Amino acid sequence: MTQTDHSGPLAAGTGAPGRAHITLRTLRTDRWWVQPAITAGVLFSFVIYATWRAFENAYYYATPYLSPFYSPCVAENCAPGSDDLGRLVGDWYPLSPALLILVFPLGFRMTCYYYRKAYYRSFWLSPPACAVAEPHRTYTGETRAPLILQNSHRWFFYAGLVFNVILTWDALLGFRNSDGDWGHMGLGTVVLLTNATLLWLYSLSCHSCRNTFGGRLKHFSKHPIRYRTWTFVSRLNTRHPLFAWLSLFGVALTDFYIRLLATGTISDPTFF
Amino acid sequence: MGYTAKFRVWRGTDEDGALNDYDVDVNEGEVVLDVIHRLQATQAPDLAVRWNCKAGKCGSCSAEINGRPRLLCMTRMNTFDQSETVTVTPLRAFPVIRDLVTNVSFNYQKAREVPSFTPPPDLKAGDYRMQQIDVERSQEFRKCIECFLCQDTCHVIRDHEENKPVFAGPRFFIRIAELDMHPLDTLERKHSAQEDYGLGYCNITKCCTEVCPEGIHITDNAIIPMKERVVDAKYDPAFGLFRVLRARSKSTKTMNEQADRAWSLLCSVEAGDVDYASVRSDVEDAMRQAKGVASTGTVLASLEALDHFEAGRLDEAAAEAQASLSWHRSAQERSDAWVTLARVYDAQERPTATVEAIENARRHWPDNPRLRHFGGDERRP
């Protein structure tokens, strides 16, 4: 049997000493670049839209609907009627209220296991696709700063649950009319409810949620309720990528709908 | 319906090699391994290929087909267009031996580094009945046929040979997860998964899951749960707080149990039921365990005072009893401290101080059973 000598200096990549001498980066014949390209395009578009909307600091409240990019609105300069939790930040803060809170949902998605796969492949090309050589000379993964901070996903998961409660409350507030009377409903209410539902599905299907409810257990048989909960979350977890995309689109479309209302481009169809 | 397929097969050794073109007959229903065998039989008798079961269960015929890690025996020819050139190469993450055969010793080395299943040392056969739901997770990982396709496709070592010493790879992450999820395994594997086997190198791009011929959800069911368990152990603020509180609660329970044990023994000595010498080692053992988890040096002052007194160290007993009076707010503990002081003063033949101490003890807890040493109808402990 041939023994490979590893005593010499090692080259990075599949060209390392002893491996089959193939100079091509990949021998894949399918269009492996399509998926990372689409992912990069969609995520980049969302980042551009979200950044623009966060800095726009206008058209985020159309009574009684509040954009999820600005909820909860806690700055002194919030639009009248949009500050249900109170103006917790003093008038020293001059910037957009969205900038105060977006770090939490942004952090939740940035550290999400699914999105990590998506942007490591599509933006960082590490790797761009399976069995396609990455362009980096060295790789340390998530073993050191800054990527070791991906372990903070649990923190953002907890914060995300708080935001889900707030956004659900915002959706319930949508059952008022523009005069603040309860018992009314418009298309905006449906939009906000759908957005909140998708965010709950995304959060509850999260890998951290799965671990929290039962994944960390060794003895499922000793914790039957947690086992059942874990089983339910595991079923949701298989669709986590789907919920990740749907909730991302949901947030953007909800904000866009409210912007259209706030600018007067369209009016909200009222059901009752 | 048979046809002639275009094959491009890598031939060579660890020193040199190249892709060679062949035209090979293909029959309906065949897999790539059949065609490779026909190639051996008709055109390249010295072509090296490792294979065994031809049923996707031995994991021997791992190779790369059109650049994707696959089993030769499980890749059907009808998945390719008849005009397509099928490229077959050895695994590109491992040293090649010859042609399509690679040296996968790296994986066996890593396998040896993972500590085996470690049940509790005192567990006897038949003591534990395993429930199905407790082993379901591990059973998925036991389907692994060790084809090492996941290891081959993992870019951490495929693209970075220098990471091999510090990274075990997905196959061994499912092994570690299997053991860590086992109800009877006692080894701590979370820290070692990160610190010794390079779990942090994985950036969960799921290529291992994509290529697994057994359909094991390596990333979702093994690697991410292990990463989450590492977070439980090292990074989760809520779980960390819970762990601290639970440890503190457990420590308090231990301290109380051991302090009660020592106190009970000393009370037996005080009551004249046993000699101090006969229980001295037990008292010392209990007090050592209690003090080992005590939050401060004063919470056991009453106990220490009585121990000093029974051991004949009167000055130390008085000092500890005074400390107990300073720190403890419970009426019963203050009463006990006064009883110990009374006994010290009595031994020192200070009758006025003794009477005063007894009165204080009675004032805090009139029914203190230890007061029987000084008359009255108090019950024994």
Side-chain angles (χ1 to χ4, degrees):
Chain A
M1 183 166 68
T2 307
Q3 292 294 315
T4 304
D5 180 12
H6 281 283
S7 59
L10 300 174
T14 49
R19 301 194 196 181
H21 291 220
I22 300 170
T23 54
L24 291 171
R25 184 183 176 202
T26 183
L27 289 166
R28 283 182 64 162
T29 53
D30 58 331
R31 291 186 294 171
W32 54 264
W33 47 270
V34 170
Q35 192 171 3
I38 292 173
T39 304
V42 174
L43 286 179
F44 187 69
S45 303
F46 178 82
V47 168
I48 294 293
Y49 176 77
T51 305
W52 168 60
R53 282 292 286 144
F55 280 93
E56 188 180 23
N57 196 10
Y59 310 123
Y60 56 83
Y61 185 65
T63 310
Y65 309 127
L66 175 61
S67 162
F69 284 171
Y70 285 80
S71 181
C73 200
V74 293
E76 192 64 34
N77 58 0
C78 287
S82 65
D83 54 338
D84 286 311
L85 282 188
R87 304 190 176 203
L88 307 175
V89 179
D91 55 7
W92 56 268
Y93 180 78
L95 302 177
S96 165
L99 301 178
L100 289 170
I101 52 147
L102 280 185
V103 63
F104 297 105
L106 178 68
F108 186 42
R109 288 187 190 263
M110 286 286 285
T111 57
C112 163
Y113 288 100
Y114 171 69
Y115 282 112
R116 274 145 79 176
K117 171 200 166 185
Y119 65 71
Y120 280 139
R121 282 196 184 193
S122 56
F123 285 96
W124 197 241
L125 308 179
S126 181
C130 301
V132 177
E134 60 175 84
H136 311 290
R137 291 174 63 86
T138 59
Y139 173 87
T140 54
E142 299 175 347
T143 59
R144 60 181 67 172
L147 293 183
I148 198 170
L149 293 177
Q150 302 282 27
N151 288 308
S152 63
H153 185 51
R154 184 79 55 82
W155 301 45
F156 287 112
F157 167 66
Y158 296 145
L161 293 181
V162 175
F163 273 74
N164 286 355
V165 171
I166 293 170
L167 292 174
T168 305
W169 175 244
D170 285 344
L172 294 177
L173 292 179
F175 285 97
R176 301 175 305 176
N177 62 13
S178 55
D179 296 327
D181 300 326
W182 289 91
H184 301 277
M185 184 179 182
L187 181 58
T189 316
V190 177
V191 170
L192 287 179
L193 283 173
T194 305
N195 178 51
T197 304
L198 290 173
L199 287 172
W200 275 113
L201 286 171
Y202 172 56
S203 298
L204 293 177
S205 64
C206 159
H207 293 84
S208 283
C209 179
R210 188 182 182 214
N211 180 74
T212 302
F213 276 110
R216 64 166 64 113
L217 296 175
K218 271 178 176 266
H219 294 255
F220 277 151
S221 57
K222 290 184 178 176
H223 303 85
I225 295 175
R226 290 183 69 182
Y227 171 66
R228 285 188 186 183
T229 315
W230 176 84
T231 307
F232 172 72
V233 173
S234 295
R235 273 195 218 114
L236 287 179
N237 182 254
T238 59
R239 294 176 176 80
H240 191 51
L242 176 67
F243 295 139
W245 285 118
L246 289 179
S247 62
L248 189 78
F249 294 138
V251 168
L253 291 174
T254 302
D255 173 79
F256 185 64
Y257 180 76
I258 291 171
R259 189 179 189 282
L260 291 178
L261 293 180
T263 54
T265 309
I266 60 171
S267 57
D268 187 42
T270 304
F271 302 146
F272 54 85
Chain B
M1 184 72 79
Y3 70 99
T4 301
K6 290 183 172 57
F7 262 64
R8 181 174 292 165
V9 182
W10 193 89
R11 307 287 312 272
T13 65
D14 60 334
E15 293 178 351
D16 198 13
L19 290 164
N20 295 338
D21 291 317
Y22 300 96
D23 291 333
V24 202
D25 290 340
V26 176
N27 298 319
E28 192 172 353
E30 287 188 330
V31 295
V32 173
L33 185 59
D34 292 323
V35 181
I36 292 293
H37 281 163
R38 183 163 299 115
L39 197 58
Q40 271 185 326
T42 59
Q43 302 176 55
D46 59 343
L47 173 64
V49 58
R50 185 186 281 137
W51 67 284
N52 193 347
C53 75
K54 226 183 147 189
K57 289 298 169 195
C58 73
S60 300
C61 62
S62 301
E64 296 191 13
I65 302 169
N66 282 351
R68 309 186 78 157
R70 308 284 299 263
L71 291 179
L72 294 175
C73 71
M74 297 302 288
T75 307
R76 303 185 71 86
M77 284 303 298
N78 63 8
T79 58
F80 304 107
D81 190 274
Q82 291 191 3
S83 61
E84 186 178 352
T85 299
V86 178
T87 305
V88 184
T89 67
L91 301 176
R92 293 181 68 185
F94 304 116
V96 69
I97 295 173
R98 210 184 72 160
D99 299 341
L100 301 179
V101 179
T102 47
N103 180 353
V104 292
S105 301
F106 162 78
N107 302 293
Y108 300 121
Q109 175 62 36
K110 293 296 175 186
R112 280 192 290 272
E113 292 173 7
V114 178
S116 59
F117 172 58
T118 310
D122 54 345
L123 188 75
K124 296 181 177 59
D127 279 358
Y128 188 88
R129 288 283 177 266
M130 194 70 72
Q131 303 293 312
Q132 177 59 32
I133 60 173
D134 286 329
V135 290
E136 275 170 353
R137 286 180 296 181
S138 298
Q139 283 178 332
E140 180 189 9
F141 307 142
R142 299 292 290 185
K143 291 193 300 181
C144 177
I145 58 173
E146 297 208 313
C147 60
F148 304 127
L149 292 180
C150 57
Q151 303 282 87
D152 176 60
T153 198
C154 180
H155 71 110
V156 179
I157 49 177
R158 181 185 178 93
D159 294 341
H160 301 281
E161 178 80 17
E162 72 278 9
N163 285 336
K164 281 187 175 175
V166 293
F167 184 71
R171 191 278 168 264
F172 300 103
F173 292 146
I174 68 172
R175 173 68 176 152
I176 293 166
E178 172 200 332
L179 293 168
D180 199 55
M181 293 172 184
H182 195 290
L184 293 181
D185 189 70
T186 56
L187 277 193
E188 198 291 311
R189 298 179 189 271
K190 298 168 191 62
H191 287 82
S192 63
Q194 190 188 43
E195 288 152 18
D196 300 330
Y197 304 110
L199 185 65
Y201 280 84
C202 172
N203 65 345
I204 47 175
T205 46
K206 284 198 170 183
C207 288
C208 49
T209 303
E210 282 187 23
V211 301
C212 180
E214 283 295 309
I216 301 171
H217 296 92
I218 300 172
T219 319
D220 284 321
N221 288 350
I223 294 179
I224 294 177
M226 281 311 297
K227 279 184 174 258
E228 284 294 304
R229 286 172 175 228
V230 171
V231 173
D232 282 345
K234 297 179 71 170
Y235 304 113
D236 182 3
F239 196 61
L241 180 64
F242 171 72
R243 198 165 49 241
V244 168
L245 293 176
R246 191 174 60 176
R248 185 165 294 178
S249 165
K250 196 173 176 182
S251 299
T252 304
K253 188 180 173 192
T254 304
M255 185 191 75
N256 288 340
E257 284 174 354
Q258 296 303 323
D260 286 350
R261 180 177 151 221
W263 183 259
S264 174
L265 288 169
L266 290 169
C267 285
S268 299
V269 173
E270 191 176 59
D273 294 342
V274 292
D275 292 333
Y276 179 72
S278 66
V279 297
R280 181 178 172 182
S281 61
D282 285 346
V283 170
E284 285 176 350
D285 176 58
M287 288 182 63
R288 188 175 59 251
Q289 290 192 49
K291 283 193 277 190
V293 291
S295 57
T296 71
T298 56
V299 295
L300 300 170
S302 280
L303 179 64
E304 298 245 34
L306 184 55
D307 182 52
H308 283 310
F309 177 79
E310 295 298 348
R313 302 183 292 267
L314 298 184
D315 291 341
E316 290 89 337
E320 289 291 348
Q322 294 288 0
S324 177
L325 285 171
S326 302
W327 286 100
H328 291 135
R329 294 288 172 266
S330 132
Q332 293 193 348
E333 289 201 74
R334 293 172 75 84
S335 174
D336 273 325
W338 279 117
V339 172
T340 306
L341 270 178
R343 296 196 65 198
V344 170
Y345 296 151
D346 190 34
Q348 292 173 337
E349 298 180 346
R350 296 165 58 190
T352 309
T354 305
V355 169
E356 191 178 332
I358 292 170
E359 284 174 358
N360 281 329
R362 191 164 279 135
R363 180 163 55 84
H364 285 296
W365 183 15
D367 297 330
N368 188 339
R370 293 179 62 211
L371 284 169
R372 72 179 199 80
H373 288 282
F374 306 100
D377 56 353
E378 290 79 12
R379 291 160 298 171
R380 291 182 57 181

